[in-house]
Amino acid sequence: MFWWLSFLRPPQASATSDIEIIPQISNDLRTEQYPHPVDIYYTWSSIDSTITTEPVKLTTYRPENIHKLLSVPVPNARRHGDVHAVSWSLGLCVRRKRVLNNLSELSIPLGERGGLDDILPVYSAPISLIRSSVQHDKSSKNPRQFRGAGKLDEIRRIFLLPASVATPLSPIQTNGPAPSWRSILISEKTSFDLDKKIWDSGIGLAAWLVHQKLITISQTQAKPVGHEDEDSQIHECIAALSWLWAHPHRFLELGAGSGIVSVVLSALLSTTVSGENNHGLLDPQIYSSIHATDLPSALPLINRNVNSNCRLPPTSLETSAEGESNQVVIPSVGVLDWDDDTLPGSVLASPPDVIIMSDVTYNTDSFPALLKTLKNLLQLSPHARVILAYKERHEAERSAWPLFTKEAGIQLRKLDEIPGAGGAPVEIWFGSL
């Protein structure tokens, strides 16, 4: 499992002075609190990322005092005098257990084993800091907060991918000489809606896909997880995965949630190529496709994260002065309700080659609908392969495994585990008919 920093009480959207928050450190679903004391630091970053303050200790988090209201001073880098608003994001982090290529402690690297064993940092959505000759309405019960401004309903996290495996969407600033990393910004909602958060298996699968492409490029072999008598079959699965990057495919994600897996997959498939350096991956003239699906309530957030990170035209090559071209795969987003008896037209028109899923078995009541959907998909595409990321939350979930074979004909093999910060790891499974 992973530990996530977030806001039990988010900051206000606008303020004239100190910001009041209640930070929390919990599991992905915010149902289990971090059990140990740890120092939390804060930093401010201007919305254009041109100014980032040094981390300053905010408090020592203690599990017995999780509802403590804290005051955070606003940054000084703003004009005084007339009314003037500047947007900043408030970042929270803890000190890393080990230095990772001099990366900012407000970013989450997906390209290294062990990069997810720290408490994962968070940024608030932009806050308008307003300075005025009239500092506040004296009738306000809380003069430090700007009257009329509601609490933010969104948080953000910055994920880093090695530039060797990802298209250069946007460089990330570091505290020293900049290594070759690229950033992805994923938004979540602060509400309790489960489809609007990043789940452990989503980040685990995203990190695993990055690692697999690194292996493919370096042409090294990772030691797979599994019993010795299954090694030959698992090695066949690993070999099949290298095929993901060597040929164009139609990817379909079920239960996409925040969309992080599809966005990271887009970056991995969208590659800067040239005549001399293509790593043998992906014909630059032929594109893969990604279709991220979920219920209608999840689609606005998925679309936002796709639009924030996948901006270049999907059907053309942009060529630089050096002769390099950006090959871009932009995910499409649509509804796929497992309760429906038939597949949507968008899926029927583009049958998938690869079906990706993460944390889709947490609700045992949804097993029949999920299995029906998988059966329909594999009848449409018998050649399709399945990649499933799973973290055990309760033993009843394991009852789905025999049903994958019995009801949908899927033969599953466990390929790997992403350990995280303790507790149940994220398991990576590979399946086919």
Side-chain angles (χ1 to χ4, degrees), residues 47-325:
I47 198 62
D48 59 3
S49 299
T50 57
I51 303 173
T52 299
T53 64
E54 288 295 319
V56 175
K57 181 179 175 180
L58 174 64
T59 188
T60 298
Y61 168 91
R62 301 183 189 279
E64 65 272 16
N65 198 18
I66 60 174
H67 294 96
K68 182 179 179 180
L69 184 66
L70 301 173
S71 180
V72 183
V74 298
N76 293 323
R78 68 182 191 273
R79 227 173 30 184
H80 296 270
D82 295 335
V83 175
H84 179 63
V86 179
S87 292
W88 294 74
S89 287
L90 172 63
L92 300 179
C93 67
V94 302
R95 294 298 189 189
R96 293 195 195 278
K97 297 174 184 175
R98 59 191 178 93
V99 177
L100 293 174
N101 289 325
N102 207 28
L103 296 176
S104 165
E105 289 177 315
L106 270 295
S107 59
I108 304 170
L110 296 181
E112 296 192 27
R113 290 287 187 171
L116 301 176
D117 59 0
D118 289 300
I119 296 170
L120 303 179
V122 66
Y123 273 108
S124 73
I127 302 169
S128 294
L129 304 181
I130 298 176
R131 184 73 181 182
S132 172
S133 55
V134 180
Q135 290 292 313
H136 59 265
D137 183 345
K138 294 182 180 179
S139 65
S140 172
K141 293 182 180 179
N142 187 357
R144 292 188 290 186
Q145 306 294 335
F146 185 67
R147 286 177 65 98
K151 292 184 178 64
L152 295 171
D153 66 349
E154 186 176 288
I155 57 177
R156 298 175 173 185
R157 302 188 196 272
I158 295 176
F159 297 89
L160 301 184
L161 283 66
S164 61
V165 299
T167 191
L169 298 176
S170 57
I172 185 68
Q173 293 183 340
T174 63
N175 296 327
S180 297
W181 294 84
R182 303 302 173 186
S183 64
I184 286 176
L185 179 68
I186 298 293
S187 297
E188 302 176 67
K189 293 297 183 179
T190 58
S191 66
F192 291 100
D193 297 329
L194 297 181
D195 60 352
K196 297 177 179 62
K197 300 184 184 301
I198 302 172
W199 288 42
D200 282 1
S201 291
I203 187 177
L205 179 54
W208 186 82
L209 288 168
V210 173
H211 187 67
Q212 292 307 309
K213 190 172 182 185
L214 282 169
I215 290 173
T216 302
I217 288 177
S218 63
Q219 296 187 354
T220 60
Q221 286 294 324
K223 178 174 176 56
V225 172
H227 301 294
E228 291 184 1
D229 60 348
E230 296 178 338
D231 274 357
S232 62
Q233 293 171 312
I234 293 175
H235 277 295
E236 289 176 7
C237 296
I238 293 287
L241 289 169
S242 66
W243 171 72
L244 288 177
W245 320 116
H247 304 280
H249 298 293
R250 294 184 294 269
F251 292 86
L252 174 68
E253 183 178 9
L254 301 182
S258 67
I260 183 173
V261 175
S262 286
V263 169
V264 168
L265 186 59
S266 168
L268 295 176
L269 294 171
S270 304
T271 310
T272 299
V273 296
S274 67
E276 297 180 355
N277 181 23
N278 185 7
H279 300 299
L281 306 176
L282 282 176
D283 182 342
Q285 302 299 324
I286 303 175
Y287 297 111
S288 292
S289 65
I290 305 168
H291 189 44
T293 67
D294 210 315
L295 295 174
S297 61
L299 265 53
L301 184 62
I302 301 173
N303 273 308
R304 175 164 183 179
N305 286 325
V306 167
N307 294 335
S308 296
N309 293 286
C310 314
R311 300 172 182 166
L312 298 179
T315 57
S316 65
L317 292 174
E318 293 198 350
T319 304
S320 69
E322 293 78 17
E324 293 182 333
S325 300

Side-chain angles (χ1 to χ4, degrees), residues 3 25 33-40 60-64 119 421:
W3 293 110
I25 305 173
Q33 300 300 315
Y34 187 68
H36 308 296
V38 65
D39 290 341
I40 296 177
T60 298
Y61 168 91
R62 301 183 189 279
E64 65 272 16
I119 296 170

